[in-house]
C-alpha cells in the first residue's frame, strides 16, 4: 500500500518486493523525479486550459466564434514552450534578442498576445471573406499593435526561409493551422515589415 501510494504499478511493486532491485532511498528518489516530471506536464496542460478559458471570458467574443478556431489556439498554446526553447537555442549568440525572447515567458505578455493573436485570426478571416479595404486595414492595425508588444517578431518571420532551422525544429512548428489563414498571415506580416523597413530607410535619407 505504501509503494502504491507513491505511484508504483503492481508489477513494479512485485519486482521491488521480490528482488529488492533498488534501495528504499533510491526508489523514493526515482519516484520523486517521475512525480516532478508528471507535475510539470500537468502544469503545462493546466496553463493551456487556463489561457483558453481566459479567451472565453473576454467580453465581445462569442463562444461560437471562438469554438470555430479553438483547436488553432489550443495548438498554439500547446507548442509554445517547445517553440520558445527552439528560438532560444537558435538565437543564443544574439544577446539583445535573447532579452526580448525572455518576455515570452511573462504571463502578462502572454495574456496580451493571446488576445491579439485571436483578434488577428478573426480579422484575417474577415479580410479573406470580404476582401475590402476596412478588413485589410483592421489586419494592419492589429499587426502594428502586436509589433508594439513584441518588436522581435521580424526575426522569427525571417526563419520561415531558413531550411536548416526547420529541418531541425520541424516538429515544434508544424502547427494545426488552416493553409489560407497561415498564407495570409505570412503575406501580411512580410508586407508590414517590408513597409516598415522602407519607411525607416526614407526617414534616414532625409
Amino acid at each position: 500500500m505504501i509503494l502504491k501510494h507513491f505511484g508504483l504499478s503492481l508489477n513494479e511493486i512485485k519486482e521491488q518486493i521480490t528482488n529488492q532491485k533498488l534501495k528504499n532511498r533510491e526508489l523514493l528518489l526515482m519516484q520523486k523525479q517521475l512525480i516532478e516530471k508528471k507535475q510539470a506536464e500537468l502544469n503545462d496542460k493546466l496553463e493551456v486550459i487556463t489561457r483558453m478559458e481566459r479567451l472565453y471570458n473576454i467580453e465581445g467574443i462569442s463562444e461560437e466564434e471562438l469554438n470555430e478556431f479553438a483547436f488553432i489556439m489550443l495548438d498554439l498554446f500547446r507548442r509554445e514552450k517547445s517553440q520558445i526553447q527552439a528560438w532560444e537555442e537558435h538565437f543564443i549568440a544574439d544577446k539583445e534578442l535573447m532579452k526580448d525572447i525572455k518576455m515570452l515567458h511573462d504571463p502578462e505578455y502572454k495574456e496580451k498576445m493571446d488576445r491579439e493573436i485571436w483578434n488577428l485570426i478573426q480579422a484575417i478571416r474577415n479580410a479573406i471573406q470580404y476582401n475590402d479595404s476596412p478588413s485589410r486595414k483592421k489586419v494592419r492595425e492589429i499587426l502594428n499593435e502586436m509589433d508594439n508588444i513584441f518588436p522581435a517578431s521580424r526575426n522569427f518571420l525571417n526563419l520561415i526561409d531558413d531550411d536548416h532551422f526547420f529541418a531541425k525544429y520541424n516538429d515544434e512548428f508544424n502547427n494545426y493551422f488552416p493553409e489560407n489563414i497561415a498564407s495570409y498571415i505570412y503575406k501580411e506580416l512580410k508586407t508590414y515589415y517590408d513597409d516598415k523597413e522602407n519607411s525607416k530607410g526614407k526617414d534616414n535619407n532625409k
Side-chain angles (χ1 to χ4, degrees):
M1 291 297 293
I2 292 170
L3 295 177
K4 184 178 179 183
H5 174 76
F6 288 108
L8 274 74
S9 68
L10 291 178
N11 285 337
E12 289 170 333
I13 293 170
K14 181 179 178 181
E15 181 71 21
Q16 180 64 19
I17 291 174
T18 305
N19 299 322
Q20 287 289 313
K21 292 180 70 174
L22 296 172
K23 294 178 181 178
N24 284 337
R25 185 174 182 176
E26 293 172 333
L27 179 68
L28 290 174
L29 179 60
M30 184 179 74
Q31 282 305 108
K32 181 184 178 183
Q33 291 170 342
L34 287 172
I35 290 168
E36 286 175 343
K37 182 181 178 184
K38 288 179 182 177
Q39 189 175 43
E41 290 172 353
L42 287 173
N43 286 340
D44 287 343
K45 291 173 184 177
L46 184 60
E47 183 188 352
V48 167
I49 293 170
T50 301
R51 289 168 72 177
M52 196 68 197
E53 196 174 38
R54 200 159 48 215
L55 286 179
Y56 276 112
N57 290 329
I58 295 175
E59 287 187 21
I61 297 180
S62 73
E63 193 163 322
E64 291 73 19
E65 286 177 330
L66 195 49
N67 283 341
E68 184 179 350
F69 296 102
F71 281 103
I72 293 175
M73 300 304 294
L74 286 168
D75 192 45
L76 288 172
F77 297 158
R78 179 178 69 93
R79 294 175 185 269
E80 183 182 79
K81 190 174 182 179
S82 61
Q83 290 176 349
I84 293 173
Q85 288 173 346
W87 289 325
E88 287 173 336
E89 290 174 14
H90 185 76
F91 292 111
I92 187 67
D94 190 330
K95 302 302 180 185
E96 289 302 313
L97 185 55
M98 287 297 288
K99 290 178 185 177
D100 291 334
I101 291 175
K102 281 185 179 179
M103 290 172 52
L104 301 175
H105 297 284
D106 181 4
E108 203 171 298
Y109 160 82
K110 289 180 182 180
E111 184 172 353
K112 289 179 183 177
M113 195 57 87
D114 290 350
R115 185 188 295 240
E116 294 304 325
I117 289 172
W118 165 247
N119 289 336
L120 180 63
I121 291 173
Q122 284 290 89
I124 284 176
R125 184 189 67 170
N126 291 336
I128 292 172
Q129 182 176 353
Y130 301 114
N131 194 28
D132 58 7
S133 180
S135 300
R136 293 191 295 273
K137 183 181 177 184
K138 182 65 176 176
V139 171
R140 184 58 67 96
E141 288 172 355
I142 296 169
L143 288 177
N144 189 58
E145 182 61 29
M146 291 175 72
D147 186 47
N148 290 333
I149 296 172
F150 189 68
S153 296
R154 176 61 188 260
N155 298 85
F156 301 149
L157 181 67
N158 292 338
L159 289 176
I160 290 177
D161 298 320
D162 190 332
D163 293 335
H164 176 72
F165 179 83
F166 280 103
K168 186 175 181 180
Y169 299 110
N170 181 64
D171 290 343
E172 285 81 355
F173 290 88
N174 189 20
N175 288 86
Y176 174 81
F177 227 93
E179 188 175 348
N180 61 336
I181 293 179
S183 298
Y184 199 102
I185 288 176
Y186 173 71
K187 182 186 75 173
E188 287 297 323
L189 277 170
K190 194 171 186 314
T191 302
Y192 172 83
Y193 284 114
D194 286 347
D195 290 348
K196 191 174 180 180
E197 287 296 319
N198 292 334
S199 176
K200 190 185 295 184
K202 289 177 182 177
D203 291 339
N204 291 337
N205 291 330
K206 287 181 180 178

